[in-house]
Amino acid sequence: AQSVSQHNHHVILSEAASLELGCNYSYGGTVNLFWYVQYPGQHLQLLLKYFSGDPLVKGIKGFEAEFIKSKFSFNLRKPSVQWSDTAEYFCAVSRKAAGNKLTFGGGTRVLVKP
Amino acid sequence: GAVVSQHPSWVICKSGTSVKIECRSLDFQATTMFWYRQFPKQSLMLMATSNEGSKATYEQGVEKDKFLINHASLTLSTLTVTSAHPEDSSFYICSAINSGRAVNEQFFGPGTRLTVL
């Protein structure tokens, strides 16, 4: 079965620190990869996505992610976080062959201290 | 573009009653919608895939007779929680895929918080 693992459940860091959230998936075929963010009390928003092409993907709000096929990874990064980046971050994977169903990772709660 | 709405945003009901949740794609047509459930401090779990004009496909462990899905039009899917019990209390989220686009990206609704007393 397809699974998605996010290594960190909670991350606490200070403003201006760099952020990297790990995401690994188990399926070896062609996948579509996503990072979503859920701010407190708000709905899921798409940060960035990878379907094909350049494995380094730039998203909104200064986030980027790198798809490393050999490592089955799609880690999310931001060079300098802000207090407003406090949120929960979800990695997700889908395959067209599986009806485009999204499998979510367990999520990582990020707290940015002012 | 690509806006998905849900109604209601919050509902409280008594145990044993049924609750209907609507998911609408406001500015695009969606032959495929998905229903997820998110328990507190947990990730989203896919419940079922809703297909316009045909029966929904349920994930393993999800009772199809308890969670009735109807996708009667290209812009509306409904989830009815029948005979709700306190353990059904959760955050229910839908998503939709724009049928008119080649890229199969899901757009999420804001969610419906269900509390069963």
Side-chain angles (χ1 to χ4, degrees), chain B residues 71-85:
Chain B
H71 194 152
S73 80
L74 288 171
T75 60
L76 173 65
S77 175
T78 60
L79 169 69
T80 301
V81 183
T82 62
S83 186
H85 288 92

Side-chain angles (χ1 to χ4, degrees), chain A residues 6 32 34 36 38 42-44 46 49 51 88 90 94 96 99-107 109, chain B residues 32 34 36 38 40-46 49 59 91 93 97 103-111:
Chain A
Q6 290 183 238
N32 300 320
F34 306 83
Y36 290 91
Q38 189 173 34
Q42 297 190 27
H43 66 281
L44 225 58
L46 180 67
K49 59 184 183 284
F51 282 15
E88 186 153 20
F90 295 96
S94 75
K96 187 175 182 179
N100 296 304
K101 295 188 292 186
L102 276 173
T103 300
F104 282 85
R109 287 182 178 269
Chain B
T32 303
F34 299 90
Y36 297 85
Q38 185 181 28
K41 299 185 179 180
Q42 294 188 27
S43 187
L44 280 76
M45 297 297 293
L46 179 65
T49 304
E59 295 300 300
F91 196 52
I93 303 170
I97 293 179
V103 174
N104 292 308
E105 177 184 344
Q106 294 185 30
F107 299 96
F108 285 83

Side-chain angles (χ1 to χ4, degrees), chain B:
Chain B
V3 178
V4 177
S5 71
Q6 284 185 239
H7 178 80
S9 56
W10 182 52
V11 57
I12 300 175
C13 69
K14 292 182 179 180
S15 186
T17 61
S18 295
V19 174
K20 180 185 284 188
I21 302 170
E22 294 185 348
C23 176
R24 292 182 185 272
S25 55
L26 298 185
D27 50 1
F28 63 96
Q29 294 184 331
T31 54
T32 303
M33 293 183 173
F34 299 90
W35 287 96
Y36 297 85
R37 182 166 50 187
Q38 185 181 28
F39 289 108
K41 299 185 179 180
Q42 294 188 27
S43 187
L44 280 76
M45 297 297 293
L46 179 65
M47 298 175 66
T49 304
S50 173
N51 303 296
E52 188 268 335
S54 65
K55 291 183 179 180
T57 305
Y58 291 82
E59 295 300 300
Q60 192 172 7
V62 178
E63 299 175 59
K64 62 179 181 180
D65 294 330
K66 181 169 183 62
F67 298 99
L68 301 179
I69 292 173
N70 186 355
H71 194 152
S73 80
L74 288 171
T75 60
L76 173 65
S77 175
T78 60
L79 169 69
T80 301
V81 183
T82 62
S83 186
H85 288 92
E87 58 265 30
D88 298 323
S89 298
S90 187
F91 196 52
Y92 291 86
I93 303 170
C94 74
S95 70
I97 293 179
N98 188 335
S99 307
R101 297 176 68 176
V103 174
N104 292 308
E105 177 184 344
Q106 294 185 30
F107 299 96
F108 285 83
T112 296
R113 187 164 300 282
L114 170 63
T115 301
V116 185
L117 302 177

Side-chain angles (χ1 to χ4, degrees), chain A residues 22-44:
Chain A
C23 174
N24 284 89
Y25 59 94
S26 62
Y27 183 68
T30 301
V31 295
N32 300 320
L33 301 158
F34 306 83
W35 275 99
Y36 290 91
V37 61
Q38 189 173 34
Y39 297 104
Q42 297 190 27
H43 66 281
L44 225 58

